[in-house]
Amino acid sequence: MSNALSVVIIVVALLAAAYSAVTAVRNRAMGWGDLAALGVLEVLLVVQAVVGFVKLSGGEGPGDSATFVGYLLAILVIPVAGAWGLLERSRWGPGVIVVAGLSVAVMIERMRQIWTGTVG
């Protein structure tokens, strides 16, 4: 797992959450900026998945690779599910993206802990 990529994903996830929080506080529906943030986050997560699987196939990685793979696959669904906020035309649509961004940041950190073998 790439530490630099993990940090970038965490920063983008938190920025997406913050941007959507501002949208929600302003009582606005989800807009193109929110959707773009989700798209960038999803692309970064796909890159993370590819890097993770390549490193796992090369013999690197945690002792419990099943848990890591579960996180690696599950995290790909979160931004896609966050797009559900597009259907909700109230302030709660961007609220879904806030939760998605925070969830991604936490899951990436947990994946880093699993990769390095630290107990969290």
Side-chain angles (χ1 to χ4, degrees):
M1 188 163 164
S2 169
N3 279 333
L5 182 57
S6 297
V7 169
V8 169
I9 292 171
I10 289 171
V11 168
V12 169
L14 293 176
L15 287 174
Y19 182 83
S20 293
V22 169
T23 303
V25 167
R26 293 180 58 210
N27 201 17
R28 305 269 189 224
M30 182 174 149
W32 287 109
D34 301 294
L35 196 57
L38 279 177
V40 169
L41 186 58
E42 184 67 25
V43 168
L44 289 171
L45 290 173
V46 168
V47 170
Q48 176 69 38
V50 170
V51 169
F53 281 120
V54 167
K55 287 191 173 191
L56 283 173
S57 68
E60 294 181 53
D64 185 14
S65 60
T67 303
F68 182 79
V69 169
Y71 271 94
L72 204 56
L73 293 174
I75 202 169
L76 292 172
V77 179
I78 293 175
V80 174
W84 166 58
L86 188 59
L87 300 174
E88 178 61 47
R89 300 310 298 168
S90 70
R91 72 166 39 185
W92 300 112
V96 171
I97 300 171
V98 172
V99 172
L102 295 175
S103 299
V104 166
V106 169
M107 287 181 74
I108 288 290
E109 183 55 34
R110 182 64 186 130
M111 287 170 58
R112 287 175 51 174
Q113 292 172 351
I114 293 169
W115 188 267
T116 59
T118 58
V119 178

